[in-house]
């Protein structure tokens, strides 16, 4: 039966966490289950579960006329040549594609605004895996001619997810071709003015169509050949951050990683560290023997590994060892800390569990900050 077939079908945006990852998390959860005051922790546990163990790819739909530059935009966003552009286009319109640029992954769908953009198969694909973000691409020439078909397709996709319509990010594309076309970024004033006028015209069309979303932003995505001739991309850094911002918890890690968005990566890493620290403190306070041994060290290991993963490194134990060596730790993050805690506790009668808890929490926070610094670098520097 068709329906059963569909249920068996895997989802394009699915990520299968490795057996190692899953086993580790299942063991942690089994111990955490025995910890009192769990109710207050449910949120942090659920959040870590969604961000790491149930993570999936970000799902981005790009609506535009054929040739608007959707595939080239994704190539530029991922910093690689993964999709064929122009006449060589190899992507099936209206279907989710699993795009992998050397491990940087995104679920991507191009919807052709000309013709019949939203057939039954496309609608089914959108229902099964609703987009997190819709990009609408319109070139300056198309703005002048009227972007009606693009806007109509966007409206219909948003209406399909009426309860939680995906965020629209409208793009004025190929602005490098606005006259004077040979002026490279940073563009001269006359060119910037012309781009602004086209962007305003597109904004008016969006408003008239009743579409809500971001303000129109201008982008240019020169091909690799053009880039080697010194043509700079335009507006891409901010667009990367913007797309990453819009992702739900489950897609944050993969999207911030794939788009190499430095601000988003730090924000996601900080959320992971925050939840891990809260869990560590509560576990350390809990009156169950060996809870710190069973939970805190693996939790800290998971936290450091996931921050390394966010930075683009593979998910494996080697990254943990790499960071450990960088801070002079031998034998894993939690061990020195636990010994230290026991020493302190001996000298503070009665305050044992409190001291242990604050050391565990501060320890996890400190380890997290150190891992962010090591793997994600200085926030002031462009990533
Ligand atoms: N000058 C310039 N050309 C672009 C830009 N984006 C795409 N192109 C070119 O436009 C053509 C169509 O691009 P493509 O990404 O295949 O469009 P799609 O059909 O929307 O996926 C290709 O020849 C691209 O090289 C851009 O920002 N500037
Ligand atoms: Mg294409």
């Amino acid at each position: 039966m068709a329906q059963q077939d569909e249920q068996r079908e895997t989802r394009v945006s699915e990520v299968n966490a490795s057996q190692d990852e899953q086993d580790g998390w299942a063991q942690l959860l089994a111990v955490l289950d025995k910890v009192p005051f769990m109710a207050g922790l449910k949120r942090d546990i659920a959040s870590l579960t969604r961000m790491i163990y149930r993570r999936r790819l970000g799902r981005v739909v790009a609506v535009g006329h054929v040739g608007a530059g959707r595939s080239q935009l994704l190539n530029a966003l991922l910093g690689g040549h993964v999709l064929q552009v122009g006449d060589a286009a190899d992507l099936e319109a209206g279907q989710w594609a699993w795009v992998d640029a050397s491990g940087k992954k995104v679920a991507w769908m191009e919807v052709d605004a000309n013709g019949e953009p939203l057939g039954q198969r496309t609608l089914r694909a959108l229902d099964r895996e609703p987009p997190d973000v819709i990009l609408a691409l319109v070139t300056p020439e198309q703005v002048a001619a009227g972007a009606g078909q693009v806007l109509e397709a966007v409206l219909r996709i948003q209406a399909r997810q009426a309860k939680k319509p995906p965020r629209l990010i409208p793009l004025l594309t190929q602005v490098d071709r606005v006259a004077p076309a040979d002026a490279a970024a940073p563009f001269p004033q006359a060119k910037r003015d012309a781009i602004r006028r086209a962007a305003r015209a597109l904004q008016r069309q969006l408003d008239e169509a009743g579409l809500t979303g971001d303000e129109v932003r201008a982008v240019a995505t020169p091909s690799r050949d053009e880039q080697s001739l010194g043509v700079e991309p335009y507006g891409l850094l901010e667009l990367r951050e913007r797309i990453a911002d819009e992702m739900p918890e489950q897609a944050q890690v993969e999207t911030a990683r794939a788009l190499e968005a430095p601000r988003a990566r730090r924000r996601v890493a900080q959320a992971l560290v925050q939840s891990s620290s809260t869990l560590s403190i509560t576990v350390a306070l809990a009156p169950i023997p060996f809870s710190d041994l069973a939970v805190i060290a693996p939790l800290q290991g998971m936290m450091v590994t996931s921050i390394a993963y966010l930075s683009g490194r593979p998910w494996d134990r080697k990254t943990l060892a790499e960071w450990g060596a960088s801070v002079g730790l031998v034998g894993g993050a939690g061990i020195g800390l636990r010994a230290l805690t026991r020493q302190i506790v001996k000298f503070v009668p009665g305050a044992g569990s409190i001291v242990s808890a604050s050391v565990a929490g501060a320890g996890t926070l400190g380890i997290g900050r150190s891992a962010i610094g090591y793997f994600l670098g200085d926030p002031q520097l462009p990533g």
Side-chain angles (χ1 to χ4, degrees):
M1 260 165 64
Q3 247 180 349
Q4 284 174 335
D5 280 351
E6 243 173 64
Q7 272 165 8
R8 264 203 306 271
E9 225 175 277
T10 53
R11 283 162 205 272
V12 173
S13 55
E14 211 160 58
V15 171
N16 291 313
S18 75
Q19 202 55 49
D20 240 24
E21 275 179 68
Q22 283 171 12
D23 288 350
W25 189 239
Q27 282 166 16
L28 269 175
L29 289 181
V31 179
L32 282 171
D33 230 19
K34 302 198 176 76
V35 179
F37 332 120
M38 269 284 289
L41 290 182
K42 285 244 156 68
R43 228 192 42 212
D44 287 300
I45 292 173
S47 173
L48 283 175
T49 303
R50 280 194 297 268
M51 289 181 82
I52 298 178
Y53 299 92
R54 303 252 170 80
R55 72 177 184 274
R56 62 164 174 81
L57 304 188
R59 298 192 287 244
V60 181
V61 164
V63 183
H65 289 291
V66 174
R70 295 160 296 175
S71 302
Q72 190 146 300
L73 174 69
L74 185 63
N75 286 342
L77 288 173
L78 294 176
H81 189 81
V82 260
L83 294 182
Q84 301 284 344
V85 301
D87 295 338
D90 52 356
L91 210 63
E92 187 184 353
Q95 289 301 304
W96 284 115
W98 185 86
V99 180
D100 180 344
S102 316
K104 297 183 287 179
K105 299 190 234 31
V106 70
W108 177 257
M109 182 193 290
E110 294 184 6
V111 169
D112 292 344
N114 22 355
E116 274 291 318
L118 295 165
Q120 284 306 316
R121 275 190 72 212
T122 299
L123 293 175
R124 258 210 319 273
L126 290 170
D127 289 347
R128 269 171 59 77
E129 295 178 271
D132 302 306
V133 163
I134 304 177
L135 304 176
L137 285 79
V138 184
T139 65
E141 291 90 341
Q142 289 163 357
V143 173
Q149 284 179 303
V150 177
L151 307 186
E152 176 63 27
V154 172
L155 274 171
R156 288 180 56 194
I157 297 171
Q158 284 193 327
R160 199 78 186 178
Q161 268 86 44
K163 263 193 242 140
K164 197 181 171 299
R167 183 76 182 177
L168 168 64
I169 303 181
L171 301 174
L172 180 71
T173 51
Q174 307 199 16
V175 298
D176 55 311
R177 296 198 296 104
V178 168
D182 55 355
F187 299 142
Q189 189 63 43
K191 183 161 177 153
R192 288 215 301 273
D193 288 343
I195 291 170
R196 200 170 307 128
R197 277 194 301 277
R200 269 209 298 269
L202 178 55
Q203 189 67 56
R204 272 196 301 276
Q205 294 182 31
L206 286 160
D207 295 344
E208 278 162 21
L211 274 168
T212 51
D214 281 18
E215 295 268 291
V216 170
R217 55 179 75 219
V219 295
T221 57
S223 66
R224 243 191 342 194
D225 290 348
E226 286 166 317
Q227 287 193 41
S228 67
L229 295 174
V231 183
E232 299 272 333
Y234 185 84
L236 281 191
L237 293 181
E238 284 307 312
L239 179 58
R240 289 196 173 105
E241 300 285 355
R242 191 64 198 98
I243 294 173
D245 282 349
E246 274 304 315
M247 290 294 150
E249 261 181 339
Q250 281 174 292
Q252 282 180 4
V253 166
E254 291 292 345
T255 309
R257 181 176 194 266
L259 299 183
E260 296 191 52
R263 285 208 307 274
R265 284 177 171 184
R266 288 186 83 80
R267 183 171 40 72
V268 175
Q270 275 155 0
L272 292 171
V273 170
Q274 190 54 54
S275 292
S276 304
S277 304
T278 310
L279 285 182
S280 302
I281 293 174
T282 314
V283 168
L285 275 169
I288 57 169
F290 302 117
S291 61
D292 56 345
L293 196 79
V295 174
I296 295 176
L299 191 65
Q300 290 170 341
M302 179 277 290
M303 176 183 73
V304 173
T305 309
S306 57
I307 293 169
Y309 184 73
L310 261 175
S311 79
R313 286 170 177 76
W315 185 287
D316 64 23
R317 285 165 204 281
K318 267 185 283 180
T319 56
L320 194 57
E322 183 191 336
W323 168 80
S326 83
V327 295
L329 272 182
V330 192
I335 288 166
L337 206 67
R338 269 200 310 277
L340 178 69
T341 308
R342 298 231 166 85
Q343 289 308 109
I344 298 171
V345 167
K346 274 189 199 152
F347 294 103
V348 190
S353 61
I354 302 295
V355 171
S356 156
S358 57
V359 170
T364 303
L365 201 62
I367 289 169
R369 290 198 176 131
S370 151
I372 290 176
Y374 180 74
F375 288 112
L376 299 178
D378 188 334
Q380 307 307 322
L381 297 173

